[in-house]
Amino acid sequence: PAPAPAPAPAPVVVVPAPVVEDIDTEAAIEVVEPVPEPEPVVSRVPEAAQALTGTYIGRADGNSISMELTMGADQVLTAVLRVAGRSGTEVHRVSGTYTLTPDGAADFALSDRTDDGVVGYSGTISGASASGIVTVDGRRRGRFSVGK
């Protein structure tokens, strides 16, 4: 039998010596202050919009209607509409937008997707009353007029 081959030599790893730089111990040390995080922006409801929040009662397209309007921050308007019709009272939770006018009134638009299509209410709230038009799928259907 032939003799077994000799084992391979172990690999040699050469690691260079670390380079030591001269450190200037007399140099000024710059202290970096952490940058504070900005305070979160809190949207507030303008006072004029708060004054217009409330329940308005009247008529829309010949039916009795109650509009519970909530003017929110960032010009967001939410409402609960109760419309009394021939088949009873329908309740709709709707949303939309408003824009305050210089005189403290607000122009607004609300919409709701129903079985009849997209029903919209757009108009102006001024003091204790609101009025405007009712549309279905963009077509004028009638007017509404309500008051606090």
Side-chain angles (χ1 to χ4, degrees):
V12 177
V13 177
V14 177
V15 177
V19 177
V20 177
E21 296 181 19
D22 289 336
I23 299 174
D24 183 2
T25 58
E26 301 297 319
I29 298 174
E30 181 181 351
V31 176
V32 178
E33 296 289 329
V35 177
E37 290 193 30
E39 302 239 353
V41 176
V42 177
S43 296
R44 300 206 189 304
V45 179
E47 284 184 36
Q50 290 177 7
L52 298 173
T53 293
T55 301
Y56 296 78
I57 298 172
R59 305 213 41 94
D61 195 25
N63 296 314
S64 295
I65 188 170
S66 166
M67 303 174 94
E68 295 174 25
L69 303 176
T70 303
M71 313 296 265
D74 300 324
Q75 298 179 316
V76 173
L77 173 61
T78 57
V80 177
L81 307 179
R82 290 180 173 79
V83 183
R86 294 179 192 164
S87 58
T89 300
E90 295 179 14
V91 178
H92 303 277
R93 297 188 188 287
V94 298
S95 61
T97 59
Y98 69 90
T99 302
L100 289 173
T101 61
D103 63 355
D107 295 324
F108 72 95
L110 294 165
S111 64
D112 183 31
R113 185 170 301 280
T114 69
D115 293 340
D116 296 330
V118 177
V119 178
Y121 294 84
S122 60
T124 301
I125 309 167
S126 181
S129 65
S131 61
I133 61 169
V134 180
T135 59
V136 176
D137 289 335
R139 293 186 176 158
R140 187 175 171 152
R141 183 169 175 186
R143 298 193 56 76
F144 69 91
S145 179
V146 292
K148 280 187 176 181

